[in-house]
Amino acid sequence: MSLQHSGLKGSVTMKLSQLQNLCKRDPAGYADDYQSQLSRFAAELHILESNPGRESSKLVDLMQFVAAVTSSAYKADAAGVAAKLTSLLSTHAAALHADTRRAAAQCLVLMRNRNAVEPDELMELFFGLMTVPDKALRSMVYSHIIQDVKSLNKNGKNEKVNRRIQAYMHRLLSTTVAGREGGKGGGRDAPGAATARKCVDIACDLYRQNIWTDAATVNMIATASLSDVQPIMVRAVHFFLGIEDRMSDDKEKEENDVWAGISD
């Protein structure tokens, strides 16, 4: 049953959340309505290209709709939607209105959490977003990377994906060392320095949480300790000074919290 025959009245935009539920319950019956909204989404994206900084609550609503339904009821279209959102952020992240930028990233996180997008497809994009002057966005993508890696290793080490992500992060870090070794200097404002600093933070956090404790992670942080970018070098050196003690303290605190919960 399509929207026009379902008895729903008023603005289609205002009914997107309701249509979302209908599409999930009856994908075949609401396929035409879904396709209509998918076309509107593509059209709104095209319009945005000419003025990326404009605010568009309509586009945000459509983003959220297509991300939700393609990651559940219409999975054949998920890759195409993810590619459009990825292209939008890759090309215009810094210029986009903050609401649009964050909504696009949140939609990709939603699709990844539902396994509609492969982890590798988002990692490079999200590391790139670490340089965007948007603290809320940077915090969100950082948290997603940590949580996604933890999820990937929840039921045992996912060595294949781990190696790919670690190799990418190591390449980013190596660029901050290359300038030093070549006598060119660098510093905190060197290209890629901000992203490389986040790589160190992520590697250190994942090691401390006992997710990545392999040689590749240690080597990555060791590379960072040779960086010409002082914050990167300091963070890496600090890691090696007492990481085992900090992990032991974390474990003791966790055990104490468990016993406190039992006592309650």
Side-chain angles (χ1 to χ4, degrees):
M1 180 186 293
S2 66
L3 188 65
Q4 59 263 35
H5 295 114
S6 65
L8 299 176
K9 303 294 183 182
S11 169
V12 171
T13 301
M14 295 298 293
K15 299 298 182 184
L16 283 178
S17 60
Q18 189 169 1
L19 177 59
Q20 178 179 319
N21 291 328
L22 294 170
C23 287
K24 289 180 180 179
R25 290 204 304 263
D26 185 5
Y30 289 89
D32 290 344
D33 296 298
Y34 157 71
Q35 287 294 337
S36 176
Q37 300 310 315
L38 190 63
S39 296
R40 292 181 65 225
F41 164 67
E44 287 292 328
L45 274 181
H46 181 71
I47 293 171
L48 190 71
E49 293 285 337
S50 61
N51 183 15
R54 76 180 181 89
E55 183 177 7
S56 178
S57 58
K58 184 187 298 184
L59 176 58
V60 168
D61 289 341
L62 286 166
M63 278 183 190
Q64 294 168 341
F65 170 79
V66 297
V69 297
T70 58
S71 58
S72 56
Y74 306 98
K75 292 185 177 181
D77 293 327
V81 169
K84 286 181 171 64
L85 294 174
T86 298
S87 176
L88 177 67
L89 288 171
S90 298
T91 308
H92 301 296
L96 289 171
H97 187 278
D99 290 344
T100 305
R101 180 168 56 231
R102 293 170 196 167
Q106 286 169 342
C107 287
L108 286 170
V109 169
L110 170 68
M111 297 179 77
R112 169 65 201 128
N113 288 344
R114 294 180 176 178
N115 291 315
V117 180
E118 292 298 317
D120 300 41
E121 296 177 24
L122 290 191
M123 288 297 174
E124 186 171 348
L125 169 67
F126 278 11
F127 275 111
L129 294 179
M130 295 290 188
T131 63
V132 176
D134 184 334
K135 186 175 181 179
L137 176 75
R138 295 197 305 271
S139 177
M140 178 178 66
V141 298
Y142 183 94
S143 295
H144 168 73
I145 292 171
I146 295 289
Q147 291 302 318
D148 200 24
V149 173
K150 287 175 67 174
S151 296
L152 287 166
N153 291 275
K154 185 177 181 179
N155 298 316
K157 299 297 183 183
N158 192 327
E159 298 294 351
K160 185 176 181 180
V161 176
N162 286 342
R163 283 196 297 270
R164 289 200 297 265
I165 298 172
Q166 288 168 338
Y168 175 72
M169 292 169 64
H170 204 160
R171 286 196 300 274
L172 289 175
L173 284 167
S174 296
T175 62
T176 70
V177 177
R180 183 185 189 190
E181 294 176 342
K184 299 178 181 179
R188 67 174 65 231
D189 297 324
T195 304
R197 286 200 297 272
K198 291 299 183 182
C199 285
V200 180
D201 289 339
I202 288 168
C204 291
D205 282 353
L206 289 171
Y207 189 101
R208 184 168 179 173
Q209 294 181 47
N210 211 32
I211 306 300
W212 278 0
T213 55
D214 56 356
T217 304
V218 175
N219 289 338
M220 190 193 314
I221 301 172
T223 296
S225 71
L226 301 174
S227 175
D228 195 40
V229 182
Q230 187 175 14
I232 294 176
M233 180 270 291
V234 170
R235 178 71 171 97
V237 170
H238 179 70
F239 167 83
F240 287 112
L241 297 176
I243 181 59
E244 301 302 331
D245 290 338
R246 290 192 292 275
M247 291 176 70
S248 178
D249 291 343
D250 291 343
K251 184 177 181 180
E252 182 177 350
K253 182 179 182 301
E254 183 179 344
E255 291 173 350
N256 289 338
D257 289 343
V258 171
W259 280 110
I262 293 174
S263 298
D264 292 342

